[in-house]
Amino acid sequence: MIEHPHGHPHEIRDRRIWVEQHGEGDAVLLLSGLGPAGSHVIFHPHFDARAVDHRVIYVDLFGRGRSDRPQDLAEITFADDVADVVALLGQLGPAHLYGFSYGGLIAQAIALDHPAMARTVTLANTLHGPEMWQLNHANINRELATQFPEVWERIQALRLDGLRSTDEPLRQEFARAAALVRFYDPGNAALLADEPGSSNHELYPIFCGDDVDFVMGARRPGSRTSGPGSRRSAFP
């Protein structure tokens, strides 16, 4: 059972964005990952200690967690995610930004385009563009092939049958070794908090393509011409 601090929806750019706040002091805004699909839940209870001397702010982006969800998930864009967070900071004040994975892209965009809103930026397990994302998947696949050859053999057989990496049989195969290839300490995988609705798995292939473990497709997260380093949004 996850113990949530007090929270309520904030009216942000004509949508309701769920926000929880815990503690007092300098504000720390946590921006979640799990690709573009995760909610703030992954940060519980790991940041509770920060609330001793900081105001820890948890946020669910539009279409994730307890925030409003559009009828068409294709309405969700990286540019809007950034704009929503900037608008939220306009209400709550500048904060230290902690960006995990996809949240790190948002933190970078805010630091580059709205520096007054970011007191500091901490990036965790994140990336700077589609090439880096693609290389990360290639590295994971090498680890799978080396350490779990029997799993990799089944994955290759399913792909020969025409399945994409977001099809359920392939997702199950990738999940078998996820703890080992995605965590420095595989035991930490069991510490990830979860609750119904905390992740929007339908959104992931809309952003990244339905064969994301092999080919970055769809909206190509980040690019040389529109990534954070170019001072433009990392997603179209």
Side-chain angles (χ1 to χ4, degrees):
M1 183 71 177
I2 298 172
E3 294 186 11
H4 291 267
H6 175 70
H8 64 88
H10 285 239
E11 294 293 332
I12 301 290
R13 302 176 66 243
D14 299 322
R15 58 191 63 174
R16 299 199 315 162
I17 302 297
W18 181 259
V19 177
E20 298 174 7
Q21 300 190 61
H22 187 198
E24 296 182 0
D26 285 352
V28 179
L29 177 63
L30 307 179
L31 299 168
S32 60
L34 299 182
S39 73
H40 79 278
V41 167
I42 62 169
F43 292 124
H44 291 310
H46 312 294
F47 282 80
D48 287 355
R50 289 287 84 201
V52 172
D53 53 7
H54 288 77
R55 176 163 56 106
V56 182
I57 304 170
Y58 303 86
V59 59
D60 285 339
L61 299 172
F62 184 48
R64 289 79 138 186
R66 301 183 180 190
S67 290
D68 280 352
R69 178 183 175 120
Q71 290 186 342
D72 182 2
L73 290 177
E75 295 177 22
I76 297 174
T77 68
F78 178 81
D80 280 334
D81 284 344
V82 173
D84 287 347
V85 175
V86 170
L88 177 64
L89 289 169
Q91 292 185 8
L92 302 180
H96 301 283
L97 304 183
Y98 181 93
F100 166 66
S101 189
Y102 176 79
L105 284 167
I106 296 175
Q108 291 173 72
I110 293 172
L112 289 168
D113 295 334
H114 308 276
M117 293 297 184
R119 299 185 65 183
T120 62
V121 175
T122 300
L123 302 176
N125 194 40
T126 190
L127 62 146
H128 55 66
E131 294 83 6
M132 187 174 179
W133 197 315
Q134 188 77 70
L135 287 172
N136 177 59
H137 281 297
N139 182 63
I140 289 172
N141 290 344
R142 278 194 300 271
E143 290 293 315
L144 275 172
T146 300
Q147 302 189 48
F148 295 90
E150 71 285 356
V151 173
W152 187 246
E153 185 176 343
R154 290 195 296 268
I155 287 173
Q156 294 298 89
L158 288 169
R159 285 183 61 74
L160 287 174
D161 288 339
L163 273 68
R164 315 284 278 180
S165 67
T166 50
D167 290 329
E168 189 57 30
L170 264 176
R171 287 179 60 179
Q172 291 179 10
E173 292 296 340
F174 276 109
R176 294 179 193 278
L180 181 62
V181 300
R182 291 184 177 272
F183 289 82
Y184 180 77
D185 179 354
N188 287 337
L191 301 179
L192 283 182
D194 195 14
E195 64 183 16
S198 64
S199 295
N200 188 342
H201 297 295
E202 301 169 63
L203 183 60
Y204 204 106
I206 292 174
F207 266 81
C208 306
D210 62 0
D211 205 26
V212 61
D213 292 285
F214 297 94
V215 179
M216 293 301 302
R219 305 183 187 190
R220 295 265 304 161
S223 72
R224 294 184 184 277
T225 58
S226 61
S230 67
R231 302 184 65 80
R232 294 176 58 193
S233 296
F235 288 74

